[in-house]
Amino acid sequence: MTPRRTSPLVLLVHTITFKQARSWVPLALFVLATRGFDGGPGTIVALVVAVTALSLATALVGWWRFSYADGPTSVVVTRGLLSRSVRTVPNDRIRGVEVEAPPLHRLFGLVRVRIDAAAGGGGRPGQEEELVVDGVRPAEGDRLRAHLLGARRSAAPDGSTADDAVPAPPPEEVVARLDHRWLLYAPLVGSYLAVPLAAVGALFRVLDELPEGWQPRVGRPGVPDGALVAGLLVAAVVVLAVGAVVGSALVNWRFRVVRRGGSLIASRGLLTRRHTELEIDRIRGCTVTDGVGMRLVRAARTTALVTGLGDAARRGQVLPLGPRPVAYALATRLVADPGPLAAHPPAARRRRLVRAVAPGAAVLVAGGVLTAVLGWWPVLAAGAALTALGVPLGLARYAALGHAAGPRSFAVRGGWLVRTHVLLERRAVVGWRVRQSAVQRWSGLASVEACVGAGTGGYTAVDMAAGEVAGFARAASGSWADALQR
């Protein structure tokens, strides 16, 4: 295999972002603390020049000592000056390849290639990508992605350059496409509200730091207290809604999934454009999730479960937002539909009702005592309200339960705040785990978890009838699950 280098233009990217120079920050702080910092213009200019030169020098050394080579059986990445590192990953261990183009990379016509392997990040927390090749041309990124996943076969011999001719790619079939009107669902998704919530918090912090004469005051003459509070609440809601929609658009703009040969290629992003390629043969299932807010408008999202894929919650998404029928249709296109879900037994409904009503009932009893002894009735009223609300809550939690087994796949569903409907192929199951608490044994219930090598690693059918567990496991995975009958 002939080693390849990244583009020299990546030096500018790393210099501007101070990527390598960040490791020198502790030393710079130590020097400043030792020698002092007078804050004069000359010192500031010297500091800027020194940091820029250090960043450029470290970027140059990092680029000079970095190389990669992709052969017919493996990919090798070499880096480091004093501490030399050579990492080799067999091609058959690669689970996904993502080509992303952040704004600065796009300015210089470069992309970054992230390679996911079955080994993940080697067990080190926070390192999800096995290999990263930063700073290649888009054509080289596409060639590397296609070669590593076998999406197209190159006739060029090993050692050819990225500019060599390759056969025409197979035709593309659009599997899913995001309608930009669906971005309006974003304010109902908790993950898209995180950034605008932080922005609202920062806004209130800024208001708190304003001069006293500029700060809005409750009770100011001519401004009713209720109107001021209502105006602040409306402004906060508008900021949250607009921020969620804008954030969703930045991440998911022009999102689409196409099938090319044996791969699914998902592309998305407005500022940072990402192309993620997944091998269809490694897809073991799909999840369709919808939170409480999304269920109000019949919206959901679909994620593919791929073996060995890092950051699966993002990279495995095949529909980030959309109507629930579209999400389910896409999931059943990737994984066979096992049929309608079977309801769980009445004992499961009673258990959920008891667990939902119990906290309110405890407050109700305490309120009854306080009312009788002290005549303090608010706690009694709160307990009655919580008890009454517990009934529909328990029924909703029960309605979320379900399971089904078909000839080629099976499904489990659960959750209330975030309901998750999981479709799994029979071949995905590597084991079963059955759990029974004392209350479950008394009620004739059990929870059975399908252990799989994708997604979260296990998916549970909660509070099934204990007598149905063995039959469900056998129907979902095969006769080897008969051991559960013992």
Side-chain angles (χ1 to χ4, degrees):
M1 295 184 291
T2 302
R4 305 174 187 266
R5 290 192 181 277
T6 55
S7 171
L9 292 176
V10 77
L11 293 174
L12 297 178
V13 176
H14 291 173
T15 301
I16 295 173
T17 58
F18 301 108
K19 180 178 179 181
Q20 282 85 0
R22 294 171 198 165
S23 59
W24 296 90
V25 170
L27 179 61
L29 293 177
F30 174 76
V31 172
L32 290 176
T34 304
R35 301 181 59 87
F37 181 71
D38 58 14
T43 303
I44 295 176
V45 171
L47 183 62
V48 171
V49 172
V51 171
T52 303
L54 181 62
S55 179
L56 178 59
T58 52
L60 178 61
V61 172
W63 173 82
W64 175 51
R65 301 301 291 171
F66 181 92
S67 64
Y68 68 97
D70 55 300
T73 60
S74 64
V75 57
V76 180
V77 170
T78 306
R79 69 176 71 224
L81 179 61
L82 299 179
S83 178
R84 197 70 172 150
S85 171
V86 180
R87 305 185 70 181
T88 304
V89 176
N91 289 347
D92 60 0
R93 303 290 289 177
I94 294 174
R95 299 297 182 255
V97 178
E98 181 178 70
V99 179
E100 63 178 6
L104 203 55
H105 284 66
R106 295 172 68 179
L107 178 64
F108 292 104
L110 303 175
V111 296
R112 180 189 298 136
V113 181
R114 300 183 184 272
I115 304 168
D116 273 303
R124 289 190 290 272
Q127 184 177 354
E128 295 173 344
E129 298 84 17
E130 182 70 12
L131 298 173
V132 177
V133 179
D134 190 6
V136 296
R137 293 293 186 180
E140 169 65 2
D142 291 339
R143 185 205 65 80
L144 185 59
R145 179 185 64 190
H147 171 74
L148 294 179
L149 291 180
R152 57 184 178 185
R153 305 300 179 185
S154 174
D158 181 45
S160 59
T161 64
D163 296 328
D164 291 338
V166 296
E172 293 184 350
E173 174 191 1
V174 178
V175 176
R177 190 190 303 270
L178 181 70
D179 189 329
H180 291 154
R181 293 174 297 179
W182 299 345
L183 296 175
L184 298 178
Y185 294 141
L188 303 175
V189 183
S191 58
Y192 292 125
L193 289 174
V195 173
L197 276 173
V200 170
L203 176 63
F204 278 104
R205 180 64 182 270
V206 170
L207 290 177
D208 191 48
E209 298 294 333
L210 289 176
E212 186 176 351
W214 293 8
Q215 295 181 2
R217 297 180 184 175
V218 177
R220 176 177 291 181
V223 181
D225 293 353
L228 180 59
V229 173
L232 290 176
L233 289 176
V234 170
V237 170
V238 170
V239 169
L240 288 176
V242 173
V245 173
V246 171
S248 176
L250 291 176
V251 175
N252 300 313
W253 189 256
R254 292 173 57 197
F255 177 91
R256 72 169 191 160
V257 178
V258 299
R259 177 169 184 166
R260 182 188 299 161
S263 298
L264 286 181
I265 303 174
S267 57
R268 72 171 79 195
L270 183 60
L271 296 180
T272 299
R273 194 70 180 161
R274 290 186 172 93
H275 299 265
T276 305
E277 186 162 349
L278 308 172
E279 285 191 89
I280 295 177
D281 188 54
R282 299 192 186 277
I283 295 178
R284 296 294 183 264
C286 286
T287 63
V288 179
T289 56
D290 50 357
V292 175
M294 298 176 73
R295 290 201 293 274
L296 294 176
V297 294
R298 295 181 56 80
R301 60 171 52 172
T302 305
T303 304
L305 304 178
V306 184
T307 56
L309 182 66
D311 194 11
R314 176 179 64 83
R315 298 187 186 181
Q317 277 191 6
V318 290
L319 185 68
L321 281 173
R324 190 186 305 166
V326 176
Y328 276 105
L330 178 57
T332 54
R333 181 173 180 175
L334 298 176
V335 181
D337 187 359
L341 298 177
H344 287 203
R349 180 173 59 242
R350 290 194 300 270
R351 190 170 184 230
R352 260 135 192 79
L353 283 171
V354 169
R355 295 174 68 176
V357 171
V363 176
L364 182 63
V365 172
V369 173
L370 291 175
T371 302
V373 175
L374 303 176
W376 196 25
W377 59 267
V379 177
L380 179 65
L386 290 175
T387 303
L389 290 175
V391 175
L393 176 60
L395 293 176
R397 288 177 175 174
Y398 169 74
L401 301 178
H403 65 276
R408 291 187 297 164
S409 63
F410 66 98
V412 295
R413 190 178 69 183
W416 181 73
L417 285 177
V418 178
R419 186 174 61 183
T420 304
H421 188 130
V422 186
L423 301 175
L424 290 168
E425 296 180 345
R426 290 166 58 98
R427 62 173 178 163
V429 181
V430 296
W432 292 96
R433 182 183 294 117
V434 181
R435 296 188 299 270
Q436 266 190 315
S437 66
V439 176
Q440 284 179 313
R441 287 196 297 271
W442 179 73
S443 303
L445 301 174
S447 296
V448 56
E449 179 183 9
C451 303
V452 300
T456 60
Y459 297 92
T460 306
V462 181
D463 285 349
M464 287 181 57
E468 297 179 0
V469 169
F472 170 70
R474 177 186 175 89
S477 59
S479 58
W480 62 268
D482 287 343
L484 294 177
Q485 295 178 341
R486 300 173 184 174

